[in-house]
Structure formats: C-alpha cells, structure tokens
Amino acid sequence: MAAPMRGMSVLRQAFQGLVRPSGGQVCRQVQHRCYSTPGHVQVDMNSETGVATVRLNRPPVNSLNLDVLTELSIALEKLETDKSCKAMVLASAAPGIFSAGLDILEMYQSTPERCVAFWRALQDAWLNLYGSRLVTMAAIEGHSPAGGCLLAMSCDYRVMAEGKFQIGLNETKLGIVAPFWFTDVMLNTIGHRETEKALQLGALYSAQQALSIGLVDKVVPLAEVMPTVEGELKNWLQIPAAARVITKTSMRKAVLDRLRSQKEKDAQFFADFINRDSVQKSLGMYIASLQKKKN
Ligand code: CO8
C-alpha cells in the first residue's frame, strides 16, 4: 500500500505544479496553454475559446493504470476550477486507439491494497468526468473497449472515426462483470434493452453499429473527428451555461450519488472479486489470447 500511495502523492504534487495556469512550467503560446506533463495525460488549453483538449498518452494502447487515472483525475479537477475553461475534449495522443480500457495488468496478480488504490483512482476520475460542469466531448479516433467506452460514454457527446475501430463494454468476455456504475452510464446512454444485450454479450460495436444504437452521436472519417467535435462544441457553447449545467447535474446526480454513497464498499468488492481464483484464471487466459493474437 505504502509504495503506490507515496508514488501518487509525488505525481499529484508534480502535476499540480505543472497545471497551475500562471505556473512557470506552463508553456504559453498566443492562444494555447500547453500543460506539458511528465506523464500520460496532455492538457492543451485554448484560452481564446475556453476549450481544453485532454489527450491520453500512454502508448501503445492508452491502457488506464493507477498513474494515468490519477493524472486524469487531477487534470479534470484543475479544469473544473479554471474559470476560463468552458469545455473539454477527451482524445488520444496514440494513433488508432482512444483507450484499451483498464490496464489488465493492474488486475492480474496484484495485491489487494494496490487493487483498492487502483479502483479508487478510477472512481475519482469517473466522478470528475461524469459530474463535470464543463461541456465534455469524446473524440474517438480509435478503438475504445471497456474502460475506454466508459470514459467516452461519460462525456456529453461522442464523435467516432469510421472504419475498423470498435467500442463497447466487453467485460464478460474477460470473465469479469461491469460494475453497477458502468451499467448505469450505459443505461443512461443507450437504454435498458440495448444495455442488457450489450453487457451480457460483452459486445464490441463498429462505429456504424454504435451510431445505430445511440452509443455514439456521429461517425465521420478519421480526419474529420476533431473538426466535427469543434463544430458541435459551438452549438453547445451557445446555450446559457448555468441552465445547461443545472440540467446536466439533475440528469446525472442519481447515478453519481449511487457511487459516492458506497465508494469504499465498491472498491473492496472490486479487490475481492478480482482476486478470486476463477477471475484470475480468466484474466490470465485473456492476456495470453492478446499475446497470441500478436504472434
Ligand atoms: N491492458 C493492458 N495491456 C493491454 C491492454 C489492456 N487493456 N490492451 C492491450 N494491451 C497490450 C497488449 O497485450 C500488447 O502488449 P505487448 O505489446 O506486450 O504484446 C499491447 O498492449 C498492444 O496490444 P495489441 O497488439 O492488441 O494492439 P492492437 O492495436 O492490435 O489492438 C486493442 C488494440 C483492440 C485495444 C486490443 O489491444 C485489445 O482488444 N485490447 C484489450 C482491450 C480490453 O479487453 N480491455 C478490457 C479492460 S477491462 C476494463 O476496462 C473494465 C474492467 C472492469 C472490471 C470490473 C471488475 C469487477
């Protein structure tokens, strides 16, 4: 337990120094504040438009480990309190990938203490994203399974690149179960019937299939994803912010409160569940299948 928490605190301090808008390490351009971080989350704040672009940057697949989730959470907290920030685009710095979801190695042969710390970091990142006052849009320029799909669904709007990329909550295929709050977000996004099918089958959808069930809002060629997001943002930013935020909060509060009221229980459940022999065996087989695919 001690090691990861110490690591997190160093990371947190380092990141807080970097993202302070007036801080010495922020590289200023005419319109952009580039929060060049030592880690895996890049924040580029356009001070003219008030739009921040947050890029996951953990090649090759942006799998979400404790450090990435902690950095993401801190970046979101900072943007939330930055009065000049009106919107946030969640994107990827890794070509062909939005995010491969949770880092499976955080869940395989890990200690219960590390599992709890990891899960708390995921909870916090999600609470910050789903509960954000900002207009949030996902620019999905690649694959987005499992935790990647959760992040995308937690934004207000999703634009996905057409082609070979897939999105969905595929947990059952790993022999694990999507937590209740993943389910809640999917229910709020695509409704009960589609969620039942999607979750039981661990379905991964092409961009067109995702569009047809409402999992994403627009599908465009890869090069058009960012321009489309920027165009859509203009519509959202025309709406009076206070009215939009109250509406968003009222729509999402019940789901957020459900996790907030049982964070520790949920983290403990995760640590116990993931360390079951049967679950570890399934994860081991899944990791082997990923490696086999490559060979
Ligand atoms: N975690 C860790 N490593 C990963 C992950 C991951 N999620 N995904 C891929 N990798 C690794 C691969 O093993 C490979 O490693 P190496 O180079 O050492 O062999 C490397 O990343 C590159 O992967 P690929 O060669 O497969 O890359 P491709 O570009 O061909 O494919 C994909 C990209 C489509 C994303 C593919 O890697 C893939 O399908 N990955 C698995 C995605 C997945 O199933 N994620 C599920 C994670 S579980 C989750 O997010 C929610 C869990 C909730 C738990 C609830 C319990 C109660």
Side-chain angles (χ1 to χ4, degrees), residues 184-214:
D184 285 345
V185 177
M186 189 171 244
L187 279 170
N188 281 357
T189 309
I190 61 172
H192 200 279
R193 178 64 189 135
E194 287 300 342
T195 299
E196 264 195 14
K197 282 193 285 182
L199 290 184
Q200 289 187 61
L201 294 170
L204 286 171
Y205 301 97
S206 69
Q208 281 303 336
Q209 289 168 333
L211 182 67
S212 73
I213 60 169

Side-chain angles (χ1 to χ4, degrees), residues 61 63 100-104 145-147 170-171 177 273 286 293-294:
V61 293
S63 60
L102 302 190
D103 188 332
I104 298 168
N170 61 329
E171 278 77 359
V177 179
F273 177 83
Y286 191 76
K293 184 192 87 176
K294 207 171 175 183

Side-chain angles (χ1 to χ4, degrees), residues 75-97:
L76 294 172
E77 275 171 26
K78 287 280 166 187
L79 294 174
E80 199 68 19
T81 53
D82 180 344
K83 290 204 171 70
S84 69
C85 187
K86 299 181 202 152
M88 191 276 298
V89 178
L90 186 60
S92 164
I97 292 284

Side-chain angles (χ1 to χ4, degrees), residues 108-137:
Y108 186 62
Q109 296 182 346
S110 182
T111 63
E113 291 78 13
R114 174 86 186 187
C115 285
V116 167
F118 170 65
W119 202 251
R120 283 187 191 134
L122 175 66
Q123 291 173 331
D124 287 341
W126 177 73
L127 287 167
N128 286 338
L129 180 60
Y130 200 60
S132 175
R133 71 171 171 86
L134 305 170
V135 174
T136 55
M137 296 206 175

